[in-house]
Amino acid sequence: MTAVKADDPTAPRPVGRYEWEAIIRRLNLSMKTSYVALVMATYADPDGTRIRPTAPELAAAARMGESTVARYVRELRGAGLVVKTRRGGGRNGTGKPNEYRLTVPLDLLE
């Protein structure tokens, strides 16, 4: 798990949901990546925190398979647009889902 560190100057900047959605609409992402990003945002609090749908829940909301959605979430994480803030899990694959936060890479803002 990679947690966001407050003292890391290269860490993506946390942003609120509505600012993040506007940024996603302007980026040159694939249609499906943008769609999964905007679906994820519907689970966020207004400040961009506490995104924690289960994998099946997010896949159903996006009308895609779980592995497909997981691929787009990895792409968003790799681009610095979402950060995993808490690892989910539990016994036998049940328990709490991963928790994410909406972010924007610093170089995107320059």
Side-chain angles (χ1 to χ4, degrees), residues 3-13 106:
V4 179
K5 296 179 180 169
D7 59 346
D8 184 357
T10 63
R13 179 177 69 88
L106 293 178

Side-chain angles (χ1 to χ4, degrees), residues 39 43 52-63 66 97:
V39 170
Y43 290 93
R52 48 185 179 204
T54 63
E57 185 179 8
L58 185 59
R63 294 174 181 84
E66 285 182 45

Side-chain angles (χ1 to χ4, degrees), residues 32-82:
K32 289 183 179 181
T33 303
S34 296
Y35 180 67
V36 170
L38 294 171
V39 170
M40 280 186 78
T42 65
Y43 290 93
D45 284 351
D47 65 355
T49 61
R50 296 171 31 127
I51 303 168
R52 48 185 179 204
T54 63
E57 185 179 8
L58 185 59
R63 294 174 181 84
M64 297 178 185
E66 285 182 45
S67 62
T68 302
V69 169
R71 181 174 64 242
Y72 294 122
V73 171
R74 280 192 306 272
E75 186 177 323
L76 293 167
R77 288 183 66 196
L81 295 168
V82 294

Side-chain angles (χ1 to χ4, degrees), residues 87-99:
R87 183 175 179 274
R91 290 183 170 225
N92 302 323
T94 61
K96 296 184 179 187
N98 291 329
E99 185 172 312

